[in-house]
């Protein structure tokens, strides 16, 4: 059974499931910000995944970045796995604008998140779910158990 | 003919060439910091590469991160493509420690680089070239010309 890090869970909203990753939306209204988390336990770095999983992660990540860039008309996409605070491998996808609060610096650590209102939150979740729905799968058909887990 | 961004060129030292990417060392003595740049012109995002190139980039990136993590005994590896300042696609690989100047925040924008002394620089370049030498290739055997370039 895959276990999402508690802090990631607290900071985000669940959007849906790609073949490898859960898609989460960061609850910060200032930036379009999606996090992909490979549903494998005990993975901290890309190189802890198998080569096949890495290729899949890259495809899910690049597709998400392209869809977000087009939809949000981003100036650039920040795609990053940091892991300084939350060790569980998770990949940020942030649509950036040259007039956003942190530009041209990174958003992490710049200033506290400004959560969405309930209405805004529901609207943004729905917009992102629509954006990604063609590649979301039915999570109940999967078995993210220890047999699938890559250990190092 | 592949053209490296002038700012990347000015901030880094050349280490060598993987099948897809140039490996560069950031000239900041505070962090072990390697940048991979796919040798393709006019690429700003992962999704501008072909699927095959993305898979290759992921393998080169994961391998570099693993070698750096082991060699520098990192607490975590930051792997990121930002592109806010330099648009040409380039992927940072930074070995982080819980007592480094920017921990646990990101290094970008934290404080100005502290360049290596000439002696330190030569030593670090040699160490990284040794670390990566098994996968470096002879650049003169390649043709990074417009025929190889992926356009969008």
């Amino acid at each position: 059974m895959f276990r999402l890090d508690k802090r990631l869970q607290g900071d985000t909203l669940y959007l849906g499931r790609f073949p490898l990753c859960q898609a989460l939306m960061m609850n910060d209204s200032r930036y379009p910000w999606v996090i992909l988390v490979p549903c494998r336990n005990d993975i901290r770095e890309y190189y802890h995944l198998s080569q096949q999983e890495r290729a899949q992660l890259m495809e899910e990540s690049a597709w998400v970045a392209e869809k977000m860039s087009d939809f949000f008309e981003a100036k650039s996409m920040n795609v990053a796995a940091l892991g300084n605070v939350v060790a569980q491998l998770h990949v940020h996808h942030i649509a950036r604008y040259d007039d956003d609060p942190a530009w041209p610096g990174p958003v992490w650590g710049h200033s506290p998140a400004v959560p969405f209102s309930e209405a805004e939150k529901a609207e943004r979740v729905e917009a992102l779910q629509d954006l990604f729905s063609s590649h979301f799968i039915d999570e109940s058909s999967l078995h993210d158990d220890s047999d699938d887990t890559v250990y190092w």
Side-chain angles (χ1 to χ4, degrees), chain A:
Chain A
M1 183 72 176
F2 172 67
R3 299 174 301 279
L4 181 64
D5 176 272
K6 289 285 180 230
R7 172 142 184 182
L8 279 180
Q9 196 163 27
D11 291 346
T12 64
L13 288 304
Y14 179 80
L15 295 173
R17 171 69 191 259
F18 295 114
L20 178 62
C21 296
Q22 280 188 10
L24 309 170
M25 181 185 87
M26 184 66 100
N27 190 8
D28 189 333
S29 59
R30 302 170 302 167
Y31 311 99
W33 187 339
V34 169
I35 296 177
L36 293 185
V37 186
C39 293
R40 298 289 184 268
N41 290 315
D42 305 323
I43 300 289
R44 291 178 286 106
E45 305 281 355
Y46 287 113
Y47 57 84
H48 296 148
L49 295 170
S50 70
Q51 182 172 354
Q52 188 182 11
E53 289 167 337
R54 276 198 296 275
Q56 179 63 29
L57 175 52
M58 175 57 96
E59 289 313 294
E60 294 180 8
S61 173
W63 188 80
V64 161
E66 183 168 17
K67 298 295 278 187
M68 290 181 68
S69 180
D70 290 350
F71 185 77
F72 294 107
E73 300 181 342
K75 171 84 172 172
S76 78
M77 290 300 302
N78 293 175
V79 178
L82 303 180
N84 304 346
V85 178
V86 170
Q88 182 174 65
L89 180 61
H90 59 288
V91 186
H92 300 273
H93 300 74
I94 309 164
R96 301 299 306 274
Y97 302 92
D98 54 15
D99 61 352
D100 73 33
W103 185 270
V107 305
W108 311 277
H110 175 267
S111 46
V114 177
F116 289 97
S117 71
E118 288 305 311
E120 290 169 334
K121 196 196 290 180
E123 191 181 340
R124 178 60 65 86
V125 164
E126 192 181 340
L128 288 169
Q129 287 176 329
D130 283 352
L131 192 62
F132 299 149
S133 61
S134 66
H135 285 54
F136 277 156
I137 60 168
D138 176 10
E139 198 152 18
S140 67
S141 67
L142 293 165
H143 304 280
D144 292 322
D145 57 30
S146 58
D147 293 336
D148 296 325
T149 303
V150 179
Y151 293 105
W152 63 93

